[in-house]
């Protein structure tokens, strides 16, 4: 069963393997707080990452200009890390145009197995609990996989802007 979990050190080994699969590929939903995977092989560095990700969800956590509080969640299947998901608590002008409230990504070896669909479906009630009534999810115009996920979960297509398809969910 695919589930969303808060970042936790118990996923260290499968996280390292999964994150390494991405190579130079963008880790949508992975948070810009991620460091080079090689540095995170050390348990202390990984534990610090987990704490940073958890703290990023708190309003009082200091953050760079333009960043908003964001809840980082990991997509897990059978006790193994299979991907990233991030819920941004509010939209900046950039997020309104391009990034949306929710970003997600499934590691290459676990794609096309329903993990992204299950994760997005599970994330919507969490977004509602965070006080987000209308959730924006975007995807690249040419990302057929993500488009299918969003539409399967019930996203209402609004329009495309700057090469991004925009979908809304009323939660």
């Amino acid at each position: 069963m695919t589930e969303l979990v808060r970042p936790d050190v118990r996923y260290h080994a499968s996280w390292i393997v999964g994150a390494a699969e991405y190579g130079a590929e963008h880790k949508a939903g992975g948070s810009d707080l991620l460091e080079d995977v090689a540095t995170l092989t050390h348990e202390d560095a990984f534990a610090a990452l987990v704490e940073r990700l958890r703290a990023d969800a708190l309003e009082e956590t200091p953050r760079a200009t333009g960043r908003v509080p964001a809840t980082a969640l990991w997509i897990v299947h059978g006790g193994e890390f299979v991907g990233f998901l991030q819920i941004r608590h509010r939209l900046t002008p950039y997020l309104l145009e391009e990034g949306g409230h929710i970003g997600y990504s499934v590691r290459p070896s676990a794609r096309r197995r329903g993990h992204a669909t299950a994760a997005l479906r599970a994330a919507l009630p969490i977004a509602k609990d965070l006080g987000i009534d209308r959730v924006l999810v975007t995807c690249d115009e040419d990302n057929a996989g993500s488009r299918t996920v969003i539409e399967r979960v019930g996203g209402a297509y609004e329009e495309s802007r700057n090469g991004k398809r925009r979908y809304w969910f009323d939660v």
Side-chain angles (χ1 to χ4, degrees):
M1 180 171 134
T2 302
E3 59 185 326
L4 290 177
V5 301
R6 292 182 68 204
D8 192 297
V9 294
R10 69 183 165 176
Y11 299 104
H12 186 205
S14 65
W15 189 96
I16 292 295
V17 172
E21 282 183 21
Y22 286 93
E25 181 182 328
H26 176 66
K27 298 170 192 70
S31 174
D32 60 356
L33 298 178
L34 295 178
E35 301 171 15
D36 177 46
V37 173
T39 66
L40 295 171
T41 59
H42 303 287
E43 289 180 12
D44 291 344
F46 191 77
L49 168 69
V50 166
E51 289 309 310
R52 280 195 310 278
L53 290 172
R54 287 177 168 221
D56 197 41
L58 304 174
E59 188 70 40
E60 63 272 13
T61 298
R63 59 186 45 84
T65 303
R67 282 191 43 86
V68 298
T71 297
L73 297 163
W74 290 344
I75 307 167
V76 172
H77 180 79
E80 297 288 314
F81 168 88
V82 296
F84 301 99
L85 186 136
Q86 186 177 57
I87 304 171
R88 298 165 198 104
H89 298 188
R90 60 181 174 271
L91 298 176
T92 64
Y94 169 77
L95 292 173
L96 179 61
E97 286 299 311
E98 305 219 4
H101 286 102
I102 299 176
Y104 56 87
S105 182
V106 172
R107 67 194 253 191
S109 67
R111 291 179 182 160
R112 303 185 59 85
R113 297 183 191 168
H115 299 305
T117 301
L120 180 56
R121 189 171 282 124
L124 294 173
I126 297 169
K128 181 180 176 85
D129 289 346
L130 290 168
I132 306 167
D133 295 324
R134 286 191 80 219
V135 174
L136 175 64
V137 180
T138 67
C139 68
D140 290 339
E141 191 70 52
D142 62 355
N143 188 338
S146 195
R147 176 182 180 174
T148 300
V149 165
I150 296 166
E151 291 174 356
R152 275 190 185 146
V153 177
Y157 175 71
E158 176 190 50
E159 65 180 342
S160 291
R161 298 182 192 169
N162 304 317
K164 298 280 187 184
R165 295 182 64 85
R166 299 164 49 80
Y167 293 87
W168 290 93
F169 294 86
D170 291 317
V171 293

